[in-house]
Every structure is written in structure tokens, then in C-alpha cells.
Amino acid sequence: MFVSAIAKHLSACFHTVQAEPVALGAGNNASELVSYAGRTLPSIRPLQLKQLLTGSKTDPLVRLQSVRDTALDQLNQLAKSDGSAVQQKFLDALATSQTQVRALASQLSSTLSSISDDGVKGQALAAAALIAANVTPVVTIRIPFGGDNHSDQNLQAEADQHLSGVQAIQTLMGNLKSLNLLDKVTFATWNVFGRNLNGIAKVTSRAGRDHYGNHAVTLMIGKNVAPGVIGGPVANSSGAYVASAIDSSAGSASASGDIPADATHDAAARTLAAALGIPAGVMANDFTSSAGGKVVPAALTSVP
């Protein structure tokens, strides 16, 4: 739920419509749903978003707009006759939000009309639209990069999904650029656990990869992210590759680094928060007391 911790800190800065993250593409797997303040958030499909904002007047979701308009008109008439100032202000706010949503649909019509499915491309387009609308400080999407490939013969699915995954990232960044948001958004992928690397028989025979706690990869793209590779794999005593410790000042893999290998995941989280402009002291309470790692300055153009 790290994305929720980030959203909590950024929502006040961005004045987003909601503080909660929006999860796209997590509908088929409950373990991918996001929670915020103890509440599990619903997954929103890209086609649902498109239908709501651009659908025809006969679409069920869009018909709700006319029902809402009618009810709002009736409430306004009632408020004018005997409503309090607070009640009238509340109704005015509802009317304003209605107008803003429809104006937003018009502004984003090109992006929204390009959504044709709930897959990676549709999620990338929907994410860009939600960010442009300042709906939420964080949007999550699902990009397959091999997935549950225990029996992936010749690592074929992994190879195919790496190509489609990178293309999805390119689509997202292109959408952000077209909406003049490229320097205002940071993209990051997050692996909760790694897969076997070279030096293990199953991988050498190209018969798939198993869960592997000694390796994970995080990719970050953003204005405050310095280009380069931080850390890296090294061979252990048996010849299998594992994550190395990291020298935080240089960002290089180093056996004597000040970030031990088993704390590199925590370091990635702290560094991503710093890339978003959140000072380490502000994020401190979002980590458990036993969490290790530290911000890696070498990964950033500036440290808040």
C-alpha cells in the first residue's frame, strides 16, 4: 500500500479531487486492489471511464447524468423556497462539479476516445486522462512483464511481455507529453518479489522462473530522476546471481555499500518518495521501525 502513503502526502499539494489512489486494471485479481485508510478501493476499468465521460445518451451510465440533473433541479427549487444558506452552497457545489466534469470530458475527448479496451494501452490512456483531470495524485496500472512464469518454456511469454510492457510505458509517456504533463508526472514500476536469475538450473535450461527473494527491479522515470542504473546483480558463492548491496552516494553495486542487499527494497521506496518531492522526515512515519534502507541521492537530480 505504499502508493496510498504517497497519495496521502501529495493530495494536499496537488489539490486533487480525491486523496485516494485510483486502481486501473486490477479487477481480475483481488490481491492487486489498493486500500486507503483501511478501506479497499474499487478498481475502475478504462472502458467504464470512457463510457461515463463520453458515452452516448442511451448508455446506462450516461443516462444517470440526466437523472442527476433532474433531481438537482428539484432540490434547487426546494432550497430556494426554504433551504438554508449551507444547503444552497452544497447544491451550488454539486452543480459546479457537474459542469466541470462535462468540460473535462470535452477537453480530454481525444485521449478518452482512443480507449478501445481494458488492457495495458487502455489503462495508459485512462491514467493520463485521470492525471490531467487532477482527480487523484496516484494512478496504478498493471503492465505484465512475464508474470507467473514458473513453466514459461523458452521464456517466451516473458520475452513477449517485455516488448509489450515497454511499448505500454512508451504509450503512457507519449500521452502525458501530448497533455503537457511529462515533467509533472513520475512513473515507476514496482516488483514485490523477483524471479530466478542466471546461474540457476531452471533458468539456464529456459524452463521458466520461480519466486526469488534475492532480486527485484524498480524502474523510475521523471523530472527528478537521474538517468542511470542503481545497484545491480552479483554472483553468490554457488554462482547464482543475487542483488548486491548499494553504495548510496555513488549508486553503484558494492559489497561494502551502506545499503545492504536485504534493505534495497526499502531504499527504492524511500528514493521514489524523494523523487516525488517528499522529504525523508515526512515519510519516516510511513515505514515500520524495523525498515531499513535510505534515500539514494545518486538516483535523483535533487533531494528534498
Side-chain angles (χ1 to χ4, degrees):
M1 297 306 121
F2 185 65
V3 291
S4 292
I6 290 175
K8 174 184 66 176
H9 295 298
L10 294 182
S11 59
C13 301
F14 296 156
H15 303 290
T16 52
V17 174
Q18 65 179 50
E20 299 89 342
V22 171
L24 297 170
N28 295 326
N29 189 340
S31 66
E32 294 176 0
L33 294 176
V34 177
S35 68
Y36 185 91
R39 295 177 290 107
T40 299
L41 304 177
S43 174
I44 298 176
R45 293 186 292 109
L47 287 176
Q48 287 178 322
L49 183 67
K50 175 183 179 180
Q51 182 184 17
L52 180 62
L53 294 179
T54 67
S56 70
K57 293 182 178 179
T58 59
D59 288 336
L61 283 174
V62 178
R63 284 205 301 269
L64 290 176
Q65 291 181 350
S66 62
V67 174
R68 179 186 186 277
D69 291 349
T70 300
L72 195 58
D73 289 342
Q74 293 171 343
L75 288 171
N76 269 314
Q77 290 297 323
L78 182 63
K80 287 179 180 178
S81 61
D82 61 358
S84 67
V86 173
Q87 290 171 327
Q88 186 61 54
K89 184 177 181 181
F90 175 71
L91 291 172
D92 288 343
L94 287 178
T96 301
S97 67
Q98 172 182 283
T99 302
Q100 290 172 335
V101 167
R102 291 178 184 171
L104 177 65
S106 176
Q107 295 168 6
L108 299 176
S109 59
S110 178
T111 300
L112 292 168
S113 63
S114 298
I115 298 175
S116 59
D117 57 49
D118 292 326
V120 179
K121 182 178 179 181
Q123 292 173 50
L125 289 163
L130 288 169
I131 293 168
N134 205 34
V135 171
T136 172
V138 180
V139 179
T140 67
I141 63 177
R142 186 181 193 280
I143 303 178
F145 273 100
D148 196 14
N149 59 350
H150 293 285
S151 303
D152 185 10
Q153 292 300 314
N154 204 35
L155 302 177
Q156 190 60 55
E158 177 182 312
D160 293 343
Q161 290 180 10
H162 269 72
L163 288 175
S164 61
V166 171
Q167 289 169 351
I169 296 173
Q170 290 176 322
T171 297
L172 174 61
M173 303 312 289
N175 294 336
L176 294 173
K177 182 177 181 180
S178 68
L179 295 169
N180 297 315
L181 292 170
L182 198 57
D183 284 344
K184 299 179 181 179
V185 176
T186 297
F187 170 85
T189 62
W190 197 263
N191 290 153
V192 291
F193 57 76
R195 314 294 287 196
N196 298 143
L197 295 176
N198 286 355
I200 293 175
K202 186 169 186 177
V203 179
T204 302
S205 63
R206 303 177 72 85
R209 300 183 195 267
D210 292 329
H211 299 183
Y212 196 53
N214 296 321
H215 160 253
V217 174
T218 295
L219 167 68
M220 302 181 196
I221 302 173
K223 185 177 182 179
N224 195 28
V225 179
V229 176
I230 303 299
V234 294
N236 65 11
S237 58
S238 67
Y241 280 88
V242 299
S244 170
I246 297 175
D247 178 338
S248 64
S249 61
S252 57
S254 171
S256 59
D258 54 335
I259 301 175
D262 61 4
T264 53
H265 220 173
D266 298 309
R270 296 181 192 275
T271 303
L272 175 57
L276 297 169
I278 306 173
V282 174
M283 286 296 302
N285 290 333
D286 295 299
F287 290 88
T288 63
S289 59
S290 61
K294 61 172 67 175
V295 173
V296 180
L300 307 172
T301 58
S302 64
V303 178

